[in-house]
Amino acid sequence: MKLRHLWILILLVATAPAAEDFFDRLRETLSVSSADGQIGARLSGTLDVESYHFQFPAPGLIYTPDTTLINPRLAVFCDTQLGRQFYLFAQVRVDRGFDSSDENVRTRLDEYALRYAPGSAGRLNLQIGKFATVVGNWVQRHGSWENPFITAPLPYENLTGIWESVAVRSSGVLLAWAHLLLVPPNAKAEYADKHLRSPMIWGPSYASGLAIFGEFGRLTYAAEMKNAALASQPESWNFDHGLREHPTVSARLAYRPNLMWNFGLSASTGPYLRPAALPTIPAGFGLGDYREVVIGQDVSFAWHYWQVWLEAYRARFENPRIGHADTFAGYAEVKYKFTPQFSGAIRWNRQTYGDINHAGGRRPWGRDTWRLDVAPSYRLTPQLQLKLQYSYQEEPDAAQPTRQTFATQATLRF
Amino acid sequence: MKPCSIPGLIACTVLLGAVAYAQSAIEGRVELPRARATTVINKRYEIVTKGGTLSTNPPLAVVYLEGDFPRPTAPAMVQMAQKDLMFVPTLLPVQVGTRVEFPNLDDTYHNIFSYSAAKRFDLGRYRADERPIPSQVFETPGLVTVRCDIHDHMRALILVLATPHFAVTSEEGRYRLAAIPPGRYVLKAWVDSRTVRSQPVEVVGNATLRVDFP
């Protein structure tokens, strides 16, 4: 059955008069609990079908040499409560890659974690596993159902000239990897090494490790020790290396003066090169000399039908040979619910780069970029949501200095 | 009219018309389905500390008298609260024209909405101290499924009825409808969205009729 036919079938089923009741019954069927209610588990999930239309090369974390892409994704969540103190969750995805791509469909265990909360006041929670970072406020809404947009904000997907597989030996290499030495700009060359480049923060960063978090009144704290830096690629997130030798430590402190406002400060530091890059590191240096240091500030506001989020980050990629490579990125996002079922969101994104020493002078190590995203969404039922996104991006001197991207996303939640 | 407190909701509804027909009543028992699995909250990206995690949610039924009853002259007002990440009560029968308030008693936001054909609304996010408490008037008979856009495990039902004579059963299925005017009616037991049992009944003055729904 073709994907289009499958989706039409889902659309018909999900919008049928009895669909709401059917999905509520399905939800009960997918829940089990012990007789005393002390142990319970629930399966839930989302089925997404996304389409992208863009100019070559593909923007952000989209991987295809074409200018269109259809990306189906099934995410299944398991939430398990074991008494009052233990909580276990996992996320399995079936898709064409962690980020949208034209690869074959595969199945992955993206998240799994065990949480222990010894007290009832929430002051102390301990968590171990592979789970989203505590940094920032985007993680809480990165799922397709909650996210007002289809793509991530610029700090979470705009690729820089940093590779995690090879250490930069000179400023010229870094500028070349950032495609700044390509004159004239070449779209094919910009796409060719795309799989090697890293953004400031790679999406929700499901790296592996430990976390401690909790709340004291209006203050919330969270800290984690993980095996991969925020910029690391999904392949580096698995629980097989790096946690003991070269951990990444991140933390967030947030203050909520009332229900409407939330102010957060985040910081993170850890090596951005994976162990396989060791042979490329000059003698006398180690992975610990190539650290990504991130500091960030986030604000969120919600009241009635308005929701606003802001995040601003500065990331420093340390390199003992060329010094520090700094980049700044942030965004402001507003969502408004016009009717019970129709919402709209707009987001302004910006990323700039600091200077590095090169050829006797100083010059930026990336192209300053800004992007405007607009996304209307409509919920046909409590389980079915349609989303559109239009993005306009300017990146002077790139192969596509102005770029437009259209995306659609249909999400079925169960 | 002063809003009924949540625990007193059943008493409030049964008291309607009690002055005129103090002795006529119908009582009995409804066979309820097995208890459902308890709710598990999605805590993946949040710190969830208070309640709601493993509360039981026993099946209940609504027993009501179908007939041609006049609308109340003064609209009633009742409440469905959000407390400990649950709706309280989770099943609320109301007469057509009733205003339902949705107070948020939690220290976190909720976003109550319904896409049901009988009532479509979205209350947005509001603080516990905001006044007036967000509310909706339910004018169309039918079943309204109420949800929270933030906490996907939260779900409640409002059964909008064209009758003032209704009651929610106890967890054992027992019910009592009091102050029924004499006459012939159809007594119905709403068990779930697909199960409504009914029996014809005749109420005579100053008598208590026993009707069970096996």
Side-chain angles (χ1 to χ4, degrees):
Chain A
M1 184 186 285
K2 285 186 175 177
L3 193 64
R4 186 177 54 203
H5 297 151
L6 173 67
W7 187 245
I8 291 172
L9 181 66
I10 291 169
L11 195 68
L12 291 173
V13 169
T15 55
E20 190 172 347
D21 191 44
F22 167 78
F23 281 103
D24 284 338
R25 288 175 187 279
L26 177 65
R27 171 202 184 100
E28 287 171 10
T29 304
L30 295 176
S31 299
V32 293
S33 65
S34 61
D36 62 359
Q38 289 301 300
I39 298 173
R42 181 185 154 210
L43 286 178
S44 60
T46 53
L47 175 63
D48 301 319
V49 179
E50 298 166 351
S51 72
Y52 298 92
H53 308 266
F54 42 77
Q55 296 142 298
F56 182 79
L61 297 176
I62 299 173
Y63 295 85
T64 177
D66 297 323
T67 56
T68 62
L69 178 68
I70 304 290
N71 186 52
R73 183 190 305 115
L74 172 66
V76 177
F77 304 100
C78 179
D79 297 283
T80 305
Q81 189 73 45
L82 306 164
R84 288 199 65 87
Q85 295 184 324
F86 289 95
Y87 169 68
L88 186 68
F89 71 92
Q91 178 188 180
V92 174
R93 281 199 211 170
V94 183
D95 56 23
R96 303 174 74 180
F98 182 80
D99 298 297
S100 304
S101 79
D102 57 2
E103 295 177 12
N104 292 328
V105 172
R106 68 189 87 162
T107 303
R108 280 188 325 281
L109 178 59
D110 272 350
E111 280 188 290
Y112 53 89
L114 175 66
R115 185 180 302 178
Y116 172 57
S120 59
R123 292 180 176 167
L124 177 65
N125 294 264
L126 302 168
Q127 186 163 296
I128 184 170
K130 182 172 180 288
F131 50 88
T133 182
V134 300
V135 167
N137 69 17
W138 180 71
V139 160
Q140 287 88 357
R141 64 182 190 286
H142 76 280
S144 59
W145 187 264
E146 297 82 13
N147 192 348
F149 295 89
I150 299 169
T151 61
L154 211 57
Y156 295 87
E157 66 156 32
N158 193 40
L159 296 173
T160 68
I162 296 293
W163 295 6
E164 67 168 16
S165 53
V166 182
V168 171
R169 284 178 168 269
S170 68
S171 58
V173 170
L174 180 57
L175 296 177
W177 288 354
H179 304 136
L180 296 177
L181 303 183
L182 283 169
V183 181
N186 182 313
K188 282 188 177 175
E190 286 192 10
Y191 184 73
D193 63 358
K194 182 169 186 171
H195 62 290
L196 297 169
R197 304 169 69 193
S198 293
M200 173 189 281
I201 304 170
W202 197 299
S205 187
Y206 294 146
S208 304
L210 315 154
I212 178 171
F213 52 89
E215 60 181 18
F216 287 87
R218 301 187 184 284
L219 274 177
T220 305
Y221 73 92
E224 65 186 14
M225 188 171 79
K226 289 201 172 165
N227 68 334
L230 293 179
S232 296
Q233 301 191 358
E235 291 74 20
S236 299
W237 296 345
N238 290 326
F239 224 139
D240 54 6
H241 73 269
L243 184 60
R244 278 188 302 173
E245 302 87 353
H246 301 287
T248 289
V249 178
S250 309
R252 179 172 183 262
L253 188 65
Y255 175 64
R256 192 188 72 170
N258 52 50
L259 275 186
M260 293 188 291
W261 292 95
N262 197 311
F263 301 91
L265 289 172
S266 299
S268 176
T269 178
Y272 59 87
L273 292 179
R274 64 172 69 163
L278 266 172
T280 68
I281 294 176
F285 298 107
L287 290 176
D289 296 308
Y290 293 80
R291 306 186 74 80
E292 181 191 16
V293 181
V294 177
I295 56 170
Q297 187 171 354
D298 63 80
V299 178
S300 66
F301 171 84
W303 189 60
H304 291 192
Y305 302 108
W306 290 96
Q307 285 179 272
V308 180
W309 299 272
L310 298 100
E311 284 191 282
Y313 289 103
R314 192 200 74 169
R316 166 167 291 178
F317 292 93
E318 296 178 347
N319 185 308
R321 282 291 180 85
I322 65 171
H324 305 315
D326 291 344
T327 178
F328 308 85
Y331 68 91
E333 182 174 319
V334 179
K335 177 185 174 185
Y336 184 76
K337 204 176 275 187
F338 296 99
T339 72
Q341 290 164 281
F342 177 57
S343 301
I346 187 166
R347 181 171 65 200
W348 184 83
N349 311 258
R350 175 83 166 140
Q351 182 157 12
T352 63
Y353 292 83
D355 293 339
I356 58 170
N357 295 322
H358 178 67
R362 288 183 66 77
R363 61 171 294 179
W365 64 282
R367 298 191 195 98
D368 291 355
T369 303
W370 68 265
R371 191 179 77 202
L372 184 69
D373 304 313
V374 180
S377 63
Y378 190 81
R379 288 189 179 170
L380 283 87
T381 72
Q383 291 82 26
L384 185 61
Q385 175 175 268
L386 301 178
K387 220 185 284 175
L388 303 175
Q389 182 177 324
Y390 168 75
S391 297
Y392 177 83
Q393 178 171 313
E394 282 197 4
E395 186 180 359
D397 302 323
Q400 293 289 354
T402 61
R403 173 193 290 285
Q404 297 182 76
T405 302
F406 295 91
T408 66
Q409 183 187 62
T411 302
L412 177 71
R413 180 171 71 159
F414 58 91
Chain B
M1 185 179 192
K2 189 179 175 185
C4 300
S5 65
I6 292 160
L9 175 69
I10 298 170
C12 250
T13 54
V14 176
L15 278 172
L16 291 168
V19 176
Y21 312 105
Q23 302 302 315
S24 308
I26 306 174
E27 63 182 24
R29 186 171 177 275
V30 180
E31 188 69 36
L32 298 175
R34 281 191 311 134
R36 293 185 289 269
T38 54
T39 300
V40 176
I41 297 177
N42 157 18
K43 304 177 180 179
R44 282 166 241 145
Y45 313 116
E46 282 189 71
I47 304 170
V48 178
T49 57
K50 292 172 186 169
T53 51
L54 292 167
S55 301
T56 54
N57 188 16
L60 302 171
V62 175
V63 180
Y64 61 96
L65 211 52
E66 200 172 62
D68 187 18
F69 300 102
R71 287 174 64 112
T73 49
M77 188 183 290
V78 294
Q79 289 191 334
M80 174 178 276
Q82 304 118 60
K83 183 166 172 53
D84 295 335
L85 305 185
M86 301 279 283
F87 285 109
V88 184
T90 54
L91 175 61
L92 176 64
V94 298
Q95 188 180 4
V96 167
T98 299
R99 177 176 292 277
V100 179
E101 291 184 332
F102 296 89
N104 177 8
L105 306 181
D106 281 328
D107 188 27
T108 188
Y109 267 140
H110 294 287
N111 188 152
I112 308 309
F113 75 97
S114 169
Y115 294 166
S116 298
K119 186 69 183 179
R120 198 163 297 213
F121 66 94
D122 186 313
L123 299 178
R125 295 160 195 245
Y126 50 91
R127 303 186 309 269
D129 61 348
E130 286 191 51
R131 293 292 180 274
I133 297 169
S135 63
Q136 292 287 309
V137 177
F138 291 80
E139 297 283 8
T140 307
L143 183 64
V144 178
T145 305
V146 182
R147 303 170 193 274
C148 175
D149 196 21
I150 302 169
H151 305 100
D152 69 338
H153 68 277
M154 290 177 65
R155 194 172 72 103
L157 299 172
I158 296 176
L159 188 60
V160 185
L161 301 166
T163 172
H165 302 289
F166 52 80
V168 178
T169 65
S170 66
E171 292 180 17
E172 293 75 38
R174 301 194 185 286
Y175 73 93
R176 179 178 172 82
L177 294 175
I180 308 295
R184 293 184 174 185
Y185 305 98
V186 175
L187 185 67
K188 292 197 168 184
W190 182 97
V191 179
D192 60 38
S193 58
R194 289 194 302 193
T195 311
V196 181
R197 297 171 189 143
S198 61
Q199 287 195 36
V201 294
E202 182 172 4
V203 177
V204 294
N206 297 331
T208 295
L209 192 63
R210 179 163 184 91
V211 181
D212 291 339
F213 291 91

